[in-house]
Amino acid sequence: MAKDPKVISICNSKGGVGKSVVTMMVATAIAEQKNKKVLILDCDSQASVLAMYEQEVEYYPDDTPLIEVEALSPRRVNTFLKRFGGDYDVIFIDIPRMTDKKADNPTVMLLYNCDGILVPVIGSGVDAIATQEFLEIIEECKTYKAEMEENFVCHGFINRRNLRKSNEETETELRQAGLKMFSTSLSDLRIFTTPSVFQSPLATAEGLRRFEPFYKEFCRKFKL
Ligand SMILES: Nc1ncnc2c1ncn2[C@@H]1O[C@H](COP(=O)(O)OP(=O)(O)O)[C@@H](O)[C@H]1O
Ligand SMILES: [Mg+2]
């Protein structure tokens, strides 16, 4: 029988924190560097990952993308994973911004399919508060996973470390709230404005310098 894929979500209840773009970058790097079959399930009704993917594929019709992307409503993810999960080594779930945090919300339920969650955080007071609310959802997920005796790891990282002071304050606050923070972070990266599904971010000088340390920590923490 096919092996279960590793299911990971880079998520936060907030929008605009880099969930989709970091997912694409990490997914392509893993596919290329580790020769793994990687899928992104785009569960955001705005389908930003799918849109970027399709635009690129249209642009370079003769090339083969490093990853696959599939748009799927949150309600259908469970069935999809049961049926097709075994075809992949790693599946990323890109989730939409959450407006309704009730535990029965299908978006929240997506997290229960994950073996690992990485929470991007922008260093500001507002983001720290929103992330702390999100951590309550993750706590429930952790409890469920423990009851089911399923593996589950959760970490956070600071995205776009630029305003040093607020980043450090946010990081300290979240650590105190129980979120294990990555020792690496991501700065404001030029390569992130044009994510490609044909090229690993590590194929660029900026990617090697500023993305690779984060990528390596990602692979260590999520055992890839
Ligand atoms: N580290 C970064 N460097 C440069 N731009 C970034 C970075 N992280 C996110 N962005 C940009 O911020 C915007 C929002 O990111 P996105 O991944 O769409 O957020 P989300 O999925 O959380 O709503 C995008 O235009 C993206 O390219
Ligand atoms: Mg998004």
Side-chain angles (χ1 to χ4, degrees):
M1 211 183 95
K3 212 172 145 282
D4 278 346
K6 183 150 279 188
V7 181
I8 299 173
S9 185
I10 300 180
C11 62
N12 193 329
S13 49
K14 264 195 77 96
V17 292
K19 298 185 296 288
S20 300
V21 76
V22 177
T23 299
M24 285 187 85
M25 292 306 209
V26 173
T28 37
I30 288 169
E32 199 260 340
Q33 298 269 311
K34 305 204 177 266
N35 198 19
K36 296 217 186 257
K37 199 155 177 224
V38 182
L39 170 74
I40 300 178
L41 281 181
D42 187 344
C43 295
D44 190 344
S45 56
Q46 290 186 353
S48 58
V49 171
L50 186 71
M52 284 191 263
Y53 179 80
E54 284 181 340
Q55 194 181 11
E56 273 250 288
V57 171
E58 199 176 313
Y59 219 80
Y60 304 100
D62 298 330
D63 292 348
T64 311
L66 290 165
I67 58 169
E68 290 177 37
V69 176
E70 183 107 33
L72 203 62
S73 113
R75 291 175 201 280
R76 294 181 50 213
V77 167
N78 230 315
T79 314
F80 179 95
L81 290 176
K82 278 193 194 118
R83 261 205 217 156
F84 305 111
D87 295 349
Y88 300 92
D89 300 308
V90 189
I91 297 181
F92 287 92
I93 304 183
D94 191 45
I95 66 160
R97 188 171 66 90
M98 292 176 189
T99 45
D100 173 9
K101 292 179 188 156
K102 283 204 300 286
D104 61 350
N105 175 322
T107 305
V108 174
M109 292 313 292
L110 286 178
L111 305 179
Y112 289 63
N113 290 304
C114 295
D115 306 300
I117 287 178
L118 179 63
V119 187
V121 183
I122 306 260
S124 81
V126 183
D127 268 71
I129 292 167
T131 303
Q132 292 200 31
E133 283 176 22
F134 183 60
L135 292 184
E136 291 170 20
I137 298 176
I138 291 191
E139 274 312 310
E140 284 175 34
C141 186
K142 242 184 219 166
T143 309
Y144 167 83
K145 291 293 221 181
E147 279 167 9
M148 302 299 284
E149 296 181 0
E150 288 177 14
N151 288 331
F152 183 71
V153 280
C154 177
H155 295 272
F157 78 98
I158 302 280
N159 189 21
R160 296 176 184 253
R161 180 177 294 279
N162 31 26
L163 302 162
R164 255 200 116 74
K165 189 153 177 288
S166 65
N167 277 319
E168 271 159 23
E169 283 169 6
T170 305
E171 191 167 344
T172 308
E173 265 175 56
L174 292 175
R175 273 188 210 280
Q176 282 167 355
L179 185 60
K180 288 184 246 163
M181 297 295 288
F182 268 23
S183 62
T184 58
S185 62
L186 287 178
S187 51
D188 215 326
L189 297 173
R190 202 164 23 83
I191 47 167
F192 272 45
T193 54
T194 49
S196 169
V197 290
F198 296 106
Q199 195 190 39
S200 157
L202 300 174
T204 66
E206 188 189 38
L208 274 182
R209 200 170 63 245
R210 300 170 101 180
F211 178 77
E212 193 178 34
F214 166 84
Y215 166 74
K216 286 196 161 154
E217 183 167 14
F218 185 95
C219 291
R220 265 199 320 277
K221 294 277 159 66
F222 293 101
K223 300 197 165 59
L224 286 161

